[in-house]
Amino acid sequence: MTNQRNDLFYVCSMIEYTARKTNNHRGAIIEKMKETGIEKELYDAEVNHCLSYEQVCDEWIDKYQIPMGNFDTISDCPYSIPSATAIGKLYADLIELCAKKGEEIQELIKIFSSFVSDAISDFRAGYYYMNPDYLRCSYQEGYLLD
């Protein structure tokens, strides 16, 4: 399970990194990768984590034909931005909290494609800093809880 957890963390971090580099919603990256791409990247994660994020990101952009977008939540943010790995860990934890055993890939797709992903990416609002249980409950309810 440790390898699977590390692989999930790595892929979530790479999705975040790639989305930042291409100014895309995280769901747009997932849409391009599709389930088969995510599955492959989880399988390859143990080897790819030895490579630089920049190299793997460039390979993903080419392989999955990820275009530049206009969802930039970093450039004009006056606050310190959490690292891609910090956000990757948050996503991996959220997936583990919500996914049924054996359904982690499907849950990854749902979470990265949901409103919670855009809320986490809004670094001005600070949802990233919220308790993971708050994010889980909001996700499961379908809206950000008060």
Side-chain angles (χ1 to χ4, degrees):
M1 181 64 176
T2 302
N3 280 350
Q4 289 176 341
R5 181 172 291 145
N6 289 339
D7 295 346
L8 180 63
F9 164 62
Y10 174 79
V11 169
C12 289
S13 297
M14 278 305 308
I15 292 166
E16 178 66 22
Y17 186 90
T18 304
R20 288 181 185 194
K21 185 170 180 177
T22 61
N23 291 334
N24 276 296
H25 292 268
R26 283 57 183 160
I29 305 302
I30 295 301
E31 190 176 303
K32 288 293 193 176
M33 294 176 77
K34 303 191 181 338
E35 186 172 341
T36 55
I38 295 163
E39 217 173 292
K40 178 174 182 1
E41 298 307 333
L42 283 166
Y43 179 81
D44 292 345
E46 195 169 343
V47 173
N48 282 346
H49 83 273
C50 298
L51 304 172
S52 72
Y53 273 51
E54 293 85 359
Q55 179 182 345
V56 175
C57 178
D58 288 344
E59 289 172 5
W60 282 21
I61 291 168
D62 289 341
K63 184 188 312 182
Y64 300 112
Q65 300 177 340
I66 300 169
M68 287 300 293
N70 59 5
F71 186 68
D72 180 5
T73 60
I74 295 175
S75 296
D76 293 334
C77 186
Y79 310 117
S80 178
I81 305 297
S83 68
T85 55
I87 298 295
K89 182 176 181 336
L90 175 65
Y91 277 114
D93 290 346
L94 190 55
I95 291 162
E96 287 182 343
L97 284 171
C98 296
K100 294 178 183 168
K101 187 172 172 72
E103 297 181 10
E104 292 82 4
I105 294 174
Q106 293 78 17
E107 199 65 48
L108 179 151
I109 292 167
K110 287 186 216 173
I111 289 172
F112 273 104
S113 301
S114 77
F115 70 95
V116 167
S117 183
D118 283 349
I120 291 169
S121 298
D122 182 358
F123 299 117
R124 290 173 176 258
Y127 287 107
Y128 159 75
Y129 298 106
M130 300 299 262
N131 182 310
D133 280 334
Y134 166 80
L135 293 172
R136 176 186 55 80
C137 291
S138 292
Y139 167 70
Q140 290 173 334
E141 288 299 316
Y143 60 93
L144 293 171
L145 300 172
D146 292 333

